[in-house]
Amino acid sequence: MEPQSQPSNSPAKAALNSGLIIGLVMLSINFIVYFMDYSYLVAAWYGFLVLVLFFAQVIYFGKQYRKEIGGFMDFGTAFQFAFVTLIVSGLITTIGNMLLYFVIHPGLPELLVETQLENMVAMLDSLGAGDSLSGDQIDDMRNEMASNFTFLGQIKAFGISLIIYAVLALILGAILKKRDKSTDF
């Protein structure tokens, strides 16, 4: 049996590069959408589209890395690659969003909260439940949404994202792994 060639870079190093690229791509998309119409940033379809694109990029770069290391990757390596990629890209987009919310357009969080609240009330109205909300409940929802756009809210959201990234990395690791069946006896 021939020894397997050593990868030119570790899963963590490859993931840093991939995460950087994905983070910059996602951040660029966010800024493009912001310049087109900021209200899209809180639209459900946009969130879904971004999630699909995010997954597709991680899978693409994961398959590229698997190919680079010989076409096979065990689950542990795939998990490590996916988790580090998700963390790096998430950190870049969080920092970019903070720049957008606090430096570039400090009034944007308030606009996004109002748009998000309008979308939610419209959805509840379409389901026939819009009249059941009191003014106090709407104010509570507004305050909760606004807290998500504060500096502390962004840090808290990133912390929660780390847990979600771990679960997603498990799923992505299972997708990206590929074992060498020629070594089976």
Side-chain angles (χ1 to χ4, degrees):
M1 188 163 77
E2 291 182 27
Q4 199 171 17
S5 63
Q6 290 296 319
S8 61
N9 56 3
S10 68
K13 184 177 178 193
L16 283 172
N17 293 335
S18 299
L20 179 66
I21 293 168
I22 293 170
L24 292 174
V25 166
M26 300 309 287
L27 192 58
S28 298
I29 291 169
N30 251 12
F31 275 92
I32 290 168
V33 168
Y34 161 72
F35 287 119
M36 286 174 31
D37 184 350
Y38 71 85
S39 67
Y40 293 156
L41 292 173
V42 291
W45 65 266
Y46 176 71
F48 180 74
L49 182 69
V50 164
L51 186 65
V52 168
L53 184 60
F54 191 60
F55 267 114
Q57 289 180 92
V58 175
I59 291 170
Y60 171 79
F61 284 111
K63 286 184 176 184
Q64 292 294 87
Y65 177 66
R66 184 176 70 197
K67 192 165 138 185
E68 180 184 316
I69 62 171
F72 302 103
M73 185 164 45
D74 64 17
F75 177 77
T77 303
F79 171 80
Q80 181 183 5
F81 175 85
F83 191 52
V84 173
T85 299
L86 292 170
I87 290 172
V88 171
S89 60
L91 187 60
I92 289 170
T93 54
T94 298
I95 292 169
N97 285 338
M98 288 174 144
L99 283 171
L100 180 61
Y101 300 153
F102 307 129
V103 177
I104 297 170
H105 190 168
L108 183 61
E110 187 177 319
L111 295 171
L112 292 175
V113 166
E114 290 306 315
T115 303
Q116 196 173 14
L117 195 58
E118 288 170 11
N119 291 345
M120 184 179 290
V121 170
M123 182 188 69
L124 289 172
D125 281 341
S126 72
L127 297 172
D131 295 336
S132 65
L133 290 176
S134 70
D136 289 339
Q137 288 173 317
I138 291 174
D139 287 340
D140 288 344
M141 289 187 332
R142 179 180 288 114
N143 291 337
E144 181 65 30
M145 288 176 190
S147 72
N148 293 332
F149 290 103
T150 64
F151 182 79
L152 188 58
Q154 292 290 301
I155 297 297
K156 186 171 90 173
F158 182 73
I160 292 168
S161 294
L162 291 175
I163 297 166
I164 296 168
Y165 291 160
V167 173
L168 293 176
L170 289 170
I171 295 166
L172 290 165
I175 292 170
L176 293 172
K177 74 174 174 64
K178 184 176 181 182
R179 65 185 180 95
D180 185 359
K181 293 180 183 178
S182 69
T183 60
D184 292 346
F185 293 103

